[in-house]
């Protein structure tokens, strides 16, 4: 029997570090994949901020070029853009797919996320957790992680591993390798 693909939306408040977490997750998952311990992870950038999965590596090699390309790729979050991302999410057929959403709860993100199966919520403000939880529950997404992005923290903290991974991750900033962080 073939298992259906897992499609996890990475969602949460703006400027909470979602793209930095995405990059850390990508590095950690690729390392596990190379060791034969995890399936190949497919990442979809479903926000129009110009920061694709390529951005972090490019910043490390040439920050000026990365900023130039980000500015060129940045676009408005239109219905047409959202519909293009819906097609990518619908067609994602690998066992593990990660979808990086923008930081606003709106109809376009709902449309994209409605084709996912699971959710990882990252929030930078403790008061912004519940709206994203409600967003995910409304779309019948199974919440697997609910993480507080503690920018000034000195260490990660795991509060609960089951049924939902909860706690905090620290130091989600550009250029920091968080792939070996306990929360990641």
């Amino acid at each position: 029997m073939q298992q259906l693909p897992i499609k996890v939306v990475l969602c949460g408040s703006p400027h909470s570090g979602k793209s930095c977490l995405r990059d850390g997750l990508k590095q950690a998952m690729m390392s596990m994949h190379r060791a034969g311990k995890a399936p190949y992870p497919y990442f979809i950038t479903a926000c129009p901020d110009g920061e694709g999965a390529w951005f972090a590596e490019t910043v490390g090699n040439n920050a000026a070029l990365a900023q130039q390309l980000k500015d060129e790729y940045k676009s408005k979050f239109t219905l047409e853009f959202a519909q293009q991302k819906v097609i990518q999410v619908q067609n994602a057929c690998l066992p593990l797919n990660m979808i990086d959403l923008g930081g606003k709860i709106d109809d376009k993100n709902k449309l994209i996320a409605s084709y996912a199966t699971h959710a990882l919520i990252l929030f930078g403000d403790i008061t912004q957790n519940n709206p994203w939880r409600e967003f995910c529950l409304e779309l019948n997404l199974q919440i697997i992680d609910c993480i507080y992005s503690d920018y000034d923290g000195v260490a990660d903290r795991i509060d609960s591993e089951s049924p939902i991974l909860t706690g905090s991750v620290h130091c989600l900033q550009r250029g920091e390798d968080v792939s070996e962080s306990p929360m990641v």
Side-chain angles (χ1 to χ4, degrees):
M1 180 167 74
Q2 185 176 353
Q3 183 178 346
L4 293 175
I6 295 172
K7 300 178 182 185
V8 182
V9 292
L10 174 55
C11 60
S13 52
H15 311 293
S16 58
K18 291 184 302 296
S19 295
C20 294
L21 179 61
R22 175 199 62 211
D23 294 332
L25 287 169
K26 181 179 178 181
Q27 290 176 23
M29 290 175 178
M30 288 303 296
S31 178
M32 292 175 65
H33 171 71
R34 286 189 291 273
K37 298 178 182 177
Y40 179 84
Y42 179 60
F43 284 79
I44 298 171
T45 302
C47 49
D49 64 3
E51 288 188 25
W54 57 270
F55 186 72
E57 185 174 343
T58 307
V59 166
N61 293 324
N62 186 333
L65 176 62
Q67 187 60 50
Q68 175 190 340
L69 293 173
K70 176 183 174 176
D71 292 343
E72 290 173 10
Y73 294 154
K74 191 170 187 163
S75 63
K76 293 188 188 276
F77 199 15
T78 63
L79 181 57
E80 180 182 60
F81 177 90
Q83 290 170 333
Q84 290 172 352
K85 296 305 171 179
V86 163
I87 292 168
Q88 290 179 352
V89 174
Q90 286 176 316
N91 291 331
C93 59
L94 291 176
L96 180 58
N97 306 276
M98 303 291 293
I99 302 104
D100 183 9
L101 288 184
K104 295 181 181 175
I105 295 175
D106 62 17
D107 290 340
K108 293 178 282 297
N109 273 330
K110 283 183 181 179
L111 179 63
I112 296 166
S114 67
Y115 293 93
T117 59
H118 296 76
L120 183 162
I121 303 171
L122 182 68
F123 54 97
D125 179 338
I126 201 78
T127 64
Q128 295 183 6
N129 175 15
N130 282 337
W132 284 101
R133 188 180 292 270
E134 291 169 16
F135 172 89
C136 294
L137 293 174
E138 179 183 328
L139 296 172
N140 294 316
L141 299 174
Q142 182 180 342
I143 299 171
I144 55 175
D145 303 291
C146 196
I147 304 169
Y148 171 59
S149 178
D150 185 3
Y151 182 78
D152 295 319
V154 295
D156 288 9
R157 187 186 75 244
I158 297 175
D159 296 332
S160 168
E161 292 185 30
S162 181
I164 299 172
L165 178 63
T166 62
S168 66
V169 62
H170 79 293
C171 204
L172 290 177
Q173 67 181 32
R174 303 258 179 262
E176 292 293 321
D177 180 2
V178 298
S179 63
E180 295 188 25
S181 157
M183 239 353 201
V184 174

